[in-house]
Amino acid sequence: MIFQISAFCFLFLLFIIFHIAPSNFRKWILLLASIVFIRWQGGLWGLIVISAITLVAYTLGIVTEKLSIQHKEKAAEVLPIIGIIFFVFILFGWKYMATFAGAFSISIPDRIESIGIPIGLSFYSFQAISYMADIRMGKVKAQKNLGKLALYMMWFPKWMSGPIERTDDFIRQIDTCGQTRLLDEKRLKRALTYILWGLFMKLVLADRLGVVVDVVYSDIPTYGFLTLLLTSILYSIQIYCDFAGYTNTMIGVSSLFGIELTQNFRIPYMAENVVDFWRRWHISLSSFLKDYIYIPLGGNRKGSARKALNTVIVFLVCGAWHGAGMSFIVWGLLHGILNVLSGNLKKTKASILVSGFIGRIINFIIVTFAWIFFRASKLGDALTFIKGMIPFANGQVALAGFEIEESMLLGISTIEWIVSLIAILVLALADSYADSRKELLPDIIAEKWSIPKRAAFVTLLTIIIFIFGKYGAGDEIRSFVYMQF
């Protein structure tokens, strides 16, 4: 979601309409609101694509169930596979259309190329795939109510960047959302703290650091190795605050309507190794890849060598899912190899490298290094960035580009640098505090803090967001990083 004043007005109006409407109509109000929102933010083409995928998934599910009732088991097993192949083709075909066309010297008409990839395609395609896979495995029955399945696919807080929800749990929440009470203190406290913490991560930190990162990546060779090293660290913080900030905000928004989204982040930079990192980072994607790729490949049931191969395959798919280009493939391959190495090191005397405080430091370093391939627009830029991080290898002085000119430093003012550093410190302390409690900060604030303490936090954080939030041009802020995927 691009946060605009109009978007907040939309949420407020929907909240009022939802809570004054009869309980039986509430889920249909949410569906209508989601359709309106997708048309508004994703355009007519975006609405058509998600509607078509929803309709295909619904039809295939109904037909599969009818075939099962008629004891046509083979057809009932094959049809979901056809559906999965279709959704995979749509997703990866769309993402890699330009790459394939270039490889075979095929020209793409400008009209088709200008359409672009619909917002959220990666996320709701995976939801359609999981729905068909669960039907084939007998985990869920085909949803006979098209409206419920459409709301599962289109629920606007998760439409743009997930989380990737599973059908059974989400449908149950759709069935009970009509019972949501307006003055449910526990739910409202939780929603408010999640929204505010998410906005702090996104507006105060991610969008401010993003300006610096964009400036440096736009002209990599002109910067010294210390400037590039700092930028790589800032991007690690930026992408975490951007994506986790989105997730936290949408968890809060969704909770206002009685639908709890899957938590996608559990303080990932406190992980002791890469395996632990992927249990904490983009959890719904990790869960999807495990259940629908890793386990069907054999998981860890066929020996250590096969387990390692399966792990690497999963992360290659993960890289390809994020985007076309070799830089994403290399990023996925790196994480696959690091997962295998991390798992093996835990069984040796070198386990200190993947556990405790040392493990956390090393994990942050290698994850930050891998992010370079993720952020770079192409593989060549990533290699140039890495070469530039080697002291004096790029011919620039250590802090080249890190000079204050007219009170500006790498695209933001010195005052904004101070705000950024203080906000990073607050984030680090908050994550450390929450990790020590084995809980997430919004949950701790909403459920464990006293009323005066909570009120002070909410008031202070609201003031900070209004004063120091990076709102961009006009009333529009920077797009979320994961919108492009």
Side-chain angles (χ1 to χ4, degrees):
M1 177 190 290
I2 299 176
F3 284 122
Q4 301 164 308
I5 294 174
S6 52
F8 285 108
C9 292
F10 171 85
L11 285 175
F12 178 75
L13 182 62
L14 176 59
F15 181 77
I16 298 300
I17 294 173
F18 175 83
H19 283 285
I20 64 176
S23 59
N24 291 338
F25 288 95
R26 288 180 175 181
K27 54 178 169 286
W28 309 125
I29 291 172
L30 297 184
L31 175 59
L32 178 61
S34 296
I35 291 171
V36 169
F37 191 87
I38 293 171
R39 172 64 179 87
W40 173 30
Q41 294 287 340
L44 179 60
W45 182 241
L47 179 59
I48 290 172
V49 172
I50 192 172
S51 299
I53 288 178
T54 300
L55 190 59
V56 170
Y58 172 78
T59 304
L60 290 175
I62 293 295
V63 174
T64 298
E65 188 157 299
K66 286 184 177 179
L67 290 172
S68 297
I69 293 172
Q70 296 170 3
H71 302 291
K72 298 178 180 179
E73 285 78 11
K74 287 187 177 180
E77 288 182 3
V78 170
L79 200 58
I81 295 175
I82 293 174
I84 291 169
I85 293 171
F86 173 76
F87 297 133
V88 169
F89 176 79
I90 292 293
L91 175 58
F92 287 97
W94 214 318
K95 280 178 176 284
Y96 285 86
M97 178 170 55
T99 303
F100 289 141
F104 294 99
S105 301
I106 300 172
S107 61
I108 302 174
D110 293 340
R111 187 175 179 181
I112 295 176
E113 193 170 11
S114 64
I115 292 175
I117 299 175
I119 295 172
L121 178 66
S122 296
F123 295 92
Y124 57 75
S125 292
F126 266 21
Q127 287 193 157
I129 289 169
S130 70
Y131 174 63
M132 297 309 304
D134 285 348
I135 288 176
R136 185 180 183 277
M137 292 185 289
K139 291 183 178 180
V140 299
K141 291 186 177 181
Q143 178 53 239
K144 295 181 176 62
N145 189 313
L146 178 58
K148 289 183 183 179
L149 186 66
L151 182 54
Y152 160 69
M153 293 289 292
M154 297 181 180
W155 178 225
F156 74 91
K158 67 178 178 63
W159 154 71
M160 189 174 289
S161 296
I164 303 166
E165 297 287 345
R166 302 298 176 87
T167 318
D168 52 351
D169 180 60
F170 199 87
I171 295 295
R172 278 196 296 270
Q173 295 195 73
I174 290 174
D175 289 334
T176 59
C177 71
Q179 303 168 17
T180 305
R181 292 185 295 112
L182 173 62
L183 300 178
D184 184 337
E185 183 183 354
K186 181 178 180 180
R187 179 175 54 81
L188 292 176
K189 285 189 300 185
R190 186 172 183 273
L192 180 61
T193 51
Y194 264 100
I195 290 171
L196 286 176
W197 187 241
L199 290 176
F200 170 78
M201 294 179 76
K202 169 63 176 170
L203 297 181
V204 179
L205 260 173
D207 287 355
R208 185 167 273 107
L209 299 182
V211 174
V212 177
V213 172
D214 289 349
V215 166
V216 174
Y217 268 92
S218 66
D219 195 9
I220 298 169
T222 62
Y223 295 97
F225 77 90
L226 287 179
T227 307
L228 295 177
L229 178 61
L230 173 64
T231 302
S232 68
I233 295 171
L234 294 182
Y235 182 67
S236 278
I237 300 170
Q238 180 206 349
I239 193 170
Y240 167 48
C241 289
D242 191 282
F243 197 11
Y246 167 89
T247 299
N248 286 332
T249 304
M250 293 304 107
I251 285 174
V253 168
S254 187
S255 183
L256 292 173
F257 305 97
I259 296 178
E260 300 297 334
L261 297 180
T262 301
Q263 178 53 253
N264 236 356
F265 292 89
R266 292 193 177 277
I267 321 175
Y269 290 147
M270 296 301 289
E272 298 179 351
N273 51 68
V274 179
V275 175
D276 188 26
F277 173 80
W278 279 98
R279 295 190 185 113
R280 296 166 175 253
W281 177 277
H282 206 338
I283 297 169
S284 64
L285 175 62
S286 301
S287 177
F288 178 95
L289 295 172
K290 176 185 175 183
D291 291 347
Y292 301 111
I293 298 179
Y294 180 72
I295 292 176
L297 284 173
N300 59 2
R301 303 188 303 273
K302 299 183 179 181
S304 57
R306 181 62 180 272
K307 176 185 176 182
L309 177 61
N310 293 341
T311 300
V312 172
I313 291 173
V314 163
F315 280 98
L316 284 173
V317 172
C318 181
W321 176 83
H322 279 88
M326 280 303 299
S327 58
F328 287 104
I329 300 299
V330 172
W331 174 78
L333 181 62
L334 269 175
H335 272 279
I337 293 171
L338 290 168
N339 261 265
V340 174
L341 290 176
S342 178
N344 289 332
L345 282 174
K346 290 175 73 174
K347 305 171 186 176
T348 69
K349 294 181 180 179
S351 60
I352 189 175
L353 300 176
V354 290
S355 60
F357 179 75
I358 293 176
R360 285 175 175 159
I361 298 297
I362 293 175
N363 177 69
F364 181 77
I365 291 171
I366 59 180
V367 168
T368 295
F369 175 79
W371 282 134
I372 295 170
F373 293 95
F374 194 92
R375 174 58 180 82
S377 57
K378 55 187 178 181
L379 183 59
D381 289 346
L383 296 177
T384 300
F385 195 103
I386 293 167
K387 180 182 177 183
M389 290 172 67
I390 302 172
F392 313 111
N394 63 1
Q396 302 287 350
V397 297
L399 284 171
F402 202 77
E403 298 96 13
I404 299 176
E405 296 181 4
E406 298 180 358
S407 299
M408 298 294 289
L409 178 60
L410 296 177
I412 62 176
S413 67
T414 51
I415 296 298
E416 288 188 287
W417 274 100
I418 294 172
V419 172
S420 299
L421 293 174
I422 293 173
I424 290 171
L425 179 60
V426 169
L427 177 69
L429 292 173
D431 275 2
S432 297
Y433 166 70
D435 191 64
S436 68
R437 300 280 298 267
K438 304 300 180 186
E439 293 182 81
L440 298 175
L441 185 67
D443 290 327
I444 295 173
I445 294 168
E447 299 171 12
K448 305 293 176 64
W449 283 14
S450 63
I451 293 176
K453 193 175 179 181
R454 189 186 311 115
F457 170 84
V458 167
T459 303
L460 179 60
L461 201 58
T462 302
I463 292 171
I464 289 172
I465 292 167
F466 272 112
I467 295 176
F468 299 109
K470 188 80 172 175
Y471 296 99
D475 62 351
E476 188 172 310
I477 64 169
R478 292 165 59 91
S479 298
F480 289 99
V481 171
Y482 263 69
M483 277 181 63
Q484 63 184 296
F485 307 130

